[in-house]
Amino acid sequence: MSSSLPIGPGSNITAPTPQNTPLQQAPLSAGLSRPTVPDITEDKEEEDEEEADGNPLHNAMLGMVQGKLADLVGRSSGYIEQLPVEVKRSVEALKGVQIKQNELQNKYKRECLELEKKYLELSKPLYQRRIAIIKGDAAPTEEEIEAGEKQSAKDDEDYIPLPKEAPAPCAIPEFWLTALQNHIGLQDLITERDTGALKHLTDIRLSYLDNLSQLDTKPGFKITFVFSPNEYFENETLEKTYYYQAEVGYFGDFAYDRAVGTEIKWKEDKDLTKEFEIKKQRNKNTNRTRVVRKARPTESFFNFFSPPTPPSEDAIANGDIDEEELEELEEKVEMDYQIGEDLKEKIIPRAIDYFTGKALEYDLMEEDDDEFEDLEDDEEDDHFEDDDSDSDADLPTTKRRGGKGRGAAAGAVNPEECKQQ
Amino acid sequence: MSSSLPIGPGSNITAPTPQNTPLQQAPLSAGLSRPTVPDITEDKEEEDEEEADGNPLHNAMLGMVQGKLADLVGRSSGYIEQLPVEVKRSVEALKGVQIKQNELQNKYKRECLELEKKYLELSKPLYQRRIAIIKGDAAPTEEEIEAGEKQSAKDDEDYIPLPKEAPAPCAIPEFWLTALQNHIGLQDLITERDTGALKHLTDIRLSYLDNLSQLDTKPGFKITFVFSPNEYFENETLEKTYYYQAEVGYFGDFAYDRAVGTEIKWKEDKDLTKEFEIKKQRNKNTNRTRVVRKARPTESFFNFFSPPTPPSEDAIANGDIDEEELEELEEKVEMDYQIGEDLKEKIIPRAIDYFTGKALEYDLMEEDDDEFEDLEDDEEDDHFEDDDSDSDADLPTTKRRGGKGRGAAAGAVNPEECKQQ
């Protein structure tokens, strides 16, 4: 038991570990447990709930776990079998009652989603206000500044109040880029090259898929990235949609089904997810050389919009995918879900705290010492993968290049910029 | 990032780790994130939310984390400071807007609790039905048995249907004891001696504290253990009440405030939380010996009703408690909250699956390999603590004595028992 408890120096301040992600949405905490990563099967819906099924992967793992079970648990495995038939009948009846409870639970989770939606609507005026201030479309009010400074003084006893002056509209440069770079997971995905495009990111929005009343359809949510016109791509918005499975999982949590991203219409030679390799080739016959430019998938935040596809059930059953490959793919799928989850639950609701870095402190407190060790272990494995397949684009997990030079970026802001407005 | 993701062989089946406990209640999944363990302070309520405060422990940890932050994050720490004053004003205004969002979030969490309560009410008829079947007060219906057997066949392809016969009422012996013994955490707490008393456990019920509409009072929940008359104690019910802090934590989750248990009125010589040591003493003057019986706190499930008390803020500030002691206490407090959480979210809603052991399989799948390693590490530290203070009663974390001999218990059921009714 103790082994399952996150014990660490920071564990009693807020949610003990990143797994225990506090639930929160827009800007309200969510009425949902973290959706879990489902069986790696494509578009598969369980008939009742996630039970032992025809999925060989699932069953293999269940078998493994049952092995552990036998080791760990003293309860005689023959206990139920030895019960008199009359008692067994009562046991089966209780299983029947449980099915009704599970149905009620499914309804409950849908209603939780409805509540999330309701509060997303209630918070929209606040989000609109936020974006107006970020863009410099509206002047902050004195009340807003006063409330903010009161909080700043609470957070930092050395906080020096700003000179009191009539507030004027003043955009916050690179607000969303900075916020994303202050998220532990995303800062690993954002390359130097990406920052050029992400400077044009003007808002990140959450919405829900509009099918909650139908119990047989897949619920989910959509993250919309809004961009100002830029030299990188034609799209005005890039979307990432996460679908949950229609039925909640064993312990009543939504399980992820799949994620879908917008196809990015890159302008010529601007695809940030590709790297060009210049190769000299020699013609064997003529002995002349020529220069060939070869596109190769490369690390980029924008790979987020081409999420990894879980392998099909058939592919697993036929053994088309080896174990290592499967594990790697699972890891990528989980990471993709984790990022979507964090955007929905943390970054969108608390963007200002990611911009200032305050949220990052809480994120780091959620990690216990074990995980910091893991991080160092990982670094040893940090090698360049030269696999050419697009779906396999390397997501660096430990390199910390994002966020560098924010001081310099700040220096680039013209202090007179806003006064001149 | 990868370090914060639970990657394990079972991780893609259901909630990846025990930290990510799926939220679920009675029998519906909960609209709450897992409440977190608060600062170790007694009855302390944060004015706004959990921020850097006067708590030296909290601040020390914050400092430590900020140290890590500086190592990990490339963002120049002077970024915000270098912004022009007009931009800073917009930043402060956004902090002001965020405070309104946090208020909305607090309301949202209260409404989630209301939704939990609503579904607890909706599920009460099913719980009443369950207890009637367990006690043998009512005969299971053929529909219930049929639905249960359908599920059994789905779970186990080798399931052999029971002979069809008109169902009669038939109690399930030691239902709740067996269910508790099939929970990873509780089986560690239940000693052989405890089983005698826990055989009299006839129901475990969940209720909510009735103050959700007042935003300034502490919400929470109560677990009620119902016992039949027994030779161990006078109480008909034993209760454990968990209070949340009035304000939700940083990421919108409820934080635990404290837990309170019923005082058990033990019958003479029946206190299961005490062990009696027989000591021979020799009188130095007369050289005569006498036998002394000395009570000593001992491991018992019933210590659950004397939860550990977090040390007072003053005690920490004055250094009255050394670091090791504090850490140990924190661990115990977290374990106590974890057990309460699991009773509420898992055992009460899915008691039949704990009785059969099915839920345990899912619980084990939630643990990743790392945690199994931890378990073995812990065993080396498994020493007998001879501290006499009551609050320090040793909670064994690795010994697995509970649940043993369930086969034998089943053997003790008279197969004719129900037919004779």
Side-chain angles (χ1 to χ4, degrees):
Chain A
M1 186 62 205
S2 71
S3 66
S4 74
L5 283 168
I7 307 296
S11 64
N12 69 336
I13 286 195
T14 180
T17 75
Q19 279 71 52
N20 178 12
T21 304
L23 300 168
Q24 180 193 30
Q25 66 104 320
L28 309 146
S29 45
L32 292 173
S33 63
R34 163 191 306 290
T36 53
V37 179
D39 301 327
I40 282 209
T41 59
E42 210 165 35
D43 286 1
K44 183 169 180 305
E45 284 177 39
E46 300 297 341
E47 212 189 339
D48 190 276
E49 55 180 56
E50 284 189 274
E51 305 290 357
D53 54 27
N55 180 341
L57 179 68
H58 186 152
N59 287 349
M61 285 190 282
L62 211 60
M64 195 198 67
V65 163
Q66 280 162 341
K68 281 183 185 168
L69 192 70
D71 288 349
L72 277 173
V73 183
R75 187 179 60 83
S76 154
S77 63
Y79 175 48
I80 302 288
E81 287 70 15
Q82 289 176 39
L83 289 170
V85 66
E86 291 74 20
V87 178
K88 279 185 184 164
R89 213 166 263 135
S90 291
V91 169
E92 293 306 313
L94 286 187
K95 289 182 189 172
V97 173
Q98 186 66 43
I99 287 164
K100 286 189 192 165
Q101 291 181 325
N102 295 349
E103 285 164 6
L104 207 52
Q105 177 183 32
N106 217 0
K107 274 189 210 155
Y108 166 71
K109 292 302 287 188
R110 294 277 172 156
E111 218 171 308
C112 284
L113 258 183
E114 290 291 352
L115 193 59
E116 267 197 40
K117 281 181 79 169
K118 171 184 156 186
Y119 272 84
L120 176 59
E121 287 307 313
L122 287 174
S123 59
K124 276 193 176 163
L126 293 171
Y127 284 152
Q128 277 154 11
R129 181 71 194 149
R130 174 168 84 183
I131 203 62
I133 293 170
I134 291 171
K135 283 185 168 174
D137 289 347
T141 67
E142 283 178 24
E143 293 70 35
E144 284 164 347
I145 296 170
E146 201 182 312
E149 292 206 274
K150 208 178 137 195
Q151 182 64 49
S152 295
K154 212 187 278 181
D155 288 352
D156 174 13
E157 54 185 31
D158 298 330
Y159 178 78
I160 300 156
L162 298 173
K164 290 221 186 292
E165 232 175 272
C170 184
I172 304 174
E174 300 175 16
F175 178 87
W176 287 101
L177 168 60
T178 307
L180 294 185
Q181 284 179 321
N182 277 334
H183 178 269
I184 299 170
L186 282 163
Q187 69 182 203
D188 291 334
L189 302 185
I190 298 170
T191 66
E192 293 284 355
R193 299 203 312 158
D194 290 335
T195 59
L198 286 172
K199 282 177 186 168
H200 297 277
L201 181 57
T202 59
D203 201 8
I204 307 180
R205 290 173 196 157
L206 172 68
S207 57
Y208 291 91
L209 304 187
D210 231 356
N211 53 4
L212 294 181
S213 51
Q214 301 146 266
L215 274 177
D216 55 338
T217 57
K218 285 175 189 154
F221 63 91
K222 189 195 285 181
I223 311 280
T224 303
F225 295 75
V226 185
F227 288 87
S228 54
N230 62 71
E231 68 268 35
Y232 292 90
F233 44 78
E234 305 288 349
N235 317 55
E236 287 174 13
T237 61
L238 298 179
E239 294 179 345
K240 180 82 170 264
T241 307
Y242 289 91
Y243 295 91
Y244 301 136
Q245 294 187 0
E247 294 283 334
V248 298
Y250 179 73
F251 278 121
D253 44 339
F254 278 112
Y256 279 113
D257 185 75
R258 68 186 196 283
V260 175
T262 301
E263 193 187 325
I264 304 175
K265 291 176 195 142
W266 294 105
K267 293 186 179 172
E268 213 190 324
D269 281 345
K270 288 293 188 182
D271 188 341
L272 294 165
T273 66
K274 296 269 190 303
E275 216 168 42
F276 293 97
E277 211 180 355
I278 310 290
K279 273 193 177 175
K280 275 191 184 172
Q281 291 184 330
R282 185 177 300 275
N283 185 312
K284 283 179 188 168
N285 297 325
T286 65
N287 214 22
R288 280 175 56 193
T289 57
R290 64 172 185 184
V291 172
V292 173
R293 228 173 60 130
K294 206 183 151 195
R296 190 173 59 178
T298 188
E299 301 173 8
S300 166
F301 163 77
F302 292 94
N303 287 319
F304 181 66
F305 299 97
S306 311
T309 311
S312 72
E313 207 186 336
D314 284 349
I316 297 172
N318 298 341
D320 291 351
I321 300 165
D322 71 25
E323 207 181 308
E324 206 174 301
E325 223 176 313
L326 191 62
E327 219 170 88
E328 214 173 282
L329 192 52
E330 271 178 44
E331 234 174 90
K332 279 178 189 161
V333 169
E334 288 195 26
M335 239 168 96
D336 184 64
Y337 292 156
Q338 178 79 58
I339 299 265
E341 189 78 5
D342 278 8
L343 281 162
K344 169 175 177 277
E345 305 287 349
K346 297 176 152 190
I347 299 171
I348 294 176
R350 304 196 82 102
I352 177 63
D353 288 352
Y354 278 93
F355 175 77
T356 63
K358 175 178 167 180
L360 185 51
E361 296 172 22
Y362 285 88
D363 281 342
L364 287 173
M365 277 193 279
E366 287 179 1
E367 307 207 354
D368 65 19
D369 292 298
D370 278 5
E371 268 140 333
F372 279 103
E373 278 171 38
D374 284 350
L375 196 64
E376 267 146 31
D377 293 347
D378 282 354
E379 253 154 8
E380 295 171 8
D381 300 331
D382 194 14
H383 61 279
F384 185 76
E385 280 181 17
D386 44 17
D387 189 319
D388 263 12
S389 87
D390 213 347
S391 67
D392 213 354
D394 195 346
L395 302 182
T397 56
T398 52
K399 282 183 200 159
R400 309 210 163 259
R401 66 157 69 91
K404 285 221 175 72
R406 299 310 301 146
V413 173
N414 179 356
E416 297 303 308
E417 196 170 61
C418 285
K419 281 191 177 165
Q420 287 164 356
Q421 281 183 339
Chain B
M1 187 61 205
S2 71
S3 65
S4 74
L5 283 169
I7 307 296
S11 63
N12 69 338
I13 286 195
T14 181
T17 75
Q19 279 70 52
N20 177 13
T21 304
L23 301 168
Q24 180 192 32
Q25 66 104 322
L28 309 145
S29 45
L32 292 172
S33 63
R34 164 191 306 289
T36 54
V37 179
D39 302 326
I40 281 210
T41 59
E42 210 165 35
D43 287 0
K44 185 169 179 302
E45 284 177 39
E46 300 297 340
E47 212 189 339
D48 190 276
E49 57 179 54
E50 284 191 274
E51 305 290 357
D53 55 27
N55 180 342
L57 178 69
H58 187 152
N59 287 349
M61 285 190 284
L62 211 60
M64 194 199 66
V65 163
Q66 280 161 343
K68 282 183 186 167
L69 192 69
D71 288 349
L72 277 174
V73 183
R75 187 179 60 84
S76 154
S77 64
Y79 175 48
I80 302 289
E81 288 70 15
Q82 289 176 40
L83 289 170
V85 66
E86 291 75 19
V87 179
K88 279 184 184 165
R89 212 166 263 134
S90 291
V91 169
E92 293 306 313
L94 286 188
K95 290 182 188 172
V97 173
Q98 185 67 43
I99 288 165
K100 286 189 192 165
Q101 290 181 326
N102 295 349
E103 285 164 6
L104 207 52
Q105 177 184 31
N106 217 359
K107 273 188 212 156
Y108 165 71
K109 291 304 286 187
R110 295 276 173 157
E111 218 171 309
C112 284
L113 259 182
E114 290 291 352
L115 192 59
E116 268 197 39
K117 280 181 79 168
K118 172 184 155 186
Y119 272 84
L120 177 59
E121 287 306 312
L122 287 174
S123 59
K124 276 192 175 163
L126 293 171
Y127 283 153
Q128 277 155 11
R129 181 71 194 149
R130 173 167 83 182
I131 203 63
I133 293 170
I134 291 171
K135 283 185 168 175
D137 289 348
T141 67
E142 282 179 25
E143 293 70 36
E144 285 164 346
I145 296 170
E146 201 182 313
E149 292 207 276
K150 208 177 137 194
Q151 183 63 50
S152 295
K154 213 188 275 181
D155 289 352
D156 174 12
E157 54 185 31
D158 298 330
Y159 178 78
I160 300 156
L162 299 173
K164 290 222 186 290
E165 233 175 89
C170 184
I172 304 174
E174 301 176 15
F175 178 86
W176 288 101
L177 168 60
T178 307
L180 294 184
Q181 284 179 321
N182 277 333
H183 178 269
I184 299 170
L186 283 163
Q187 69 181 202
D188 291 334
L189 302 184
I190 298 170
T191 66
E192 293 283 357
R193 299 202 312 157
D194 290 335
T195 58
L198 286 172
K199 281 177 186 169
H200 297 277
L201 180 58
T202 58
D203 200 8
I204 307 180
R205 291 175 195 155
L206 172 68
S207 56
Y208 291 92
L209 304 187
D210 231 355
N211 53 5
L212 294 181
S213 51
Q214 301 147 266
L215 274 177
D216 55 338
T217 58
K218 285 174 188 155
F221 63 91
K222 189 194 285 181
I223 311 280
T224 303
F225 295 74
V226 185
F227 287 87
S228 54
N230 61 72
E231 68 268 34
Y232 292 90
F233 45 78
E234 306 288 350
N235 317 55
E236 287 173 13
T237 60
L238 298 179
E239 294 178 346
K240 181 81 170 267
T241 307
Y242 289 90
Y243 295 91
Y244 301 136
Q245 294 186 0
E247 294 283 335
V248 298
Y250 179 73
F251 278 121
D253 44 339
F254 278 112
Y256 279 114
D257 185 75
R258 68 185 196 284
V260 175
T262 301
E263 193 187 325
I264 304 175
K265 291 176 195 143
W266 294 105
K267 294 186 179 172
E268 214 189 322
D269 282 345
K270 288 294 189 182
D271 188 341
L272 294 165
T273 67
K274 297 268 190 302
E275 216 168 42
F276 293 98
E277 211 180 358
I278 309 290
K279 273 193 177 174
K280 274 192 183 172
Q281 291 183 331
R282 185 178 301 275
N283 185 310
K284 282 178 188 170
N285 298 324
T286 65
N287 214 23
R288 279 176 55 195
T289 57
R290 63 170 185 183
V291 172
V292 174
R293 227 173 61 130
K294 206 182 150 195
R296 191 171 60 178
T298 188
E299 301 173 7
S300 165
F301 164 77
F302 292 94
N303 287 317
F304 181 66
F305 299 98
S306 311
T309 311
S312 72
E313 206 185 337
D314 285 350
I316 297 172
N318 298 340
D320 291 351
I321 300 165
D322 72 25
E323 206 181 308
E324 206 174 302
E325 223 175 312
L326 191 63
E327 218 169 89
E328 215 173 282
L329 193 53
E330 270 177 46
E331 233 174 272
K332 280 179 189 161
V333 169
E334 287 194 28
M335 237 168 96
D336 185 64
Y337 292 156
Q338 177 79 59
I339 299 265
E341 189 79 4
D342 278 8
L343 281 162
K344 170 175 177 276
E345 306 287 348
K346 297 175 152 191
I347 298 171
I348 294 177
R350 305 196 82 102
I352 177 63
D353 288 352
Y354 278 93
F355 175 77
T356 62
K358 175 179 168 181
L360 185 50
E361 295 171 21
Y362 285 88
D363 281 342
L364 287 172
M365 277 193 278
E366 287 179 0
E367 307 207 355
D368 63 20
D369 292 297
D370 278 5
E371 267 140 334
F372 278 103
E373 279 172 36
D374 284 350
L375 195 65
E376 267 146 31
D377 294 348
D378 281 354
E379 254 155 8
E380 295 171 8
D381 300 331
D382 194 14
H383 61 280
F384 185 76
E385 280 182 17
D386 44 18
D387 188 320
D388 263 12
S389 87
D390 214 347
S391 67
D392 212 354
D394 195 346
L395 302 182
T397 56
T398 52
K399 283 182 198 159
R400 309 208 164 260
R401 65 158 71 92
K404 285 220 175 72
R406 300 310 301 147
V413 173
N414 179 356
E416 296 303 307
E417 197 170 60
C418 284
K419 282 191 175 164
Q420 287 163 357
Q421 281 182 340

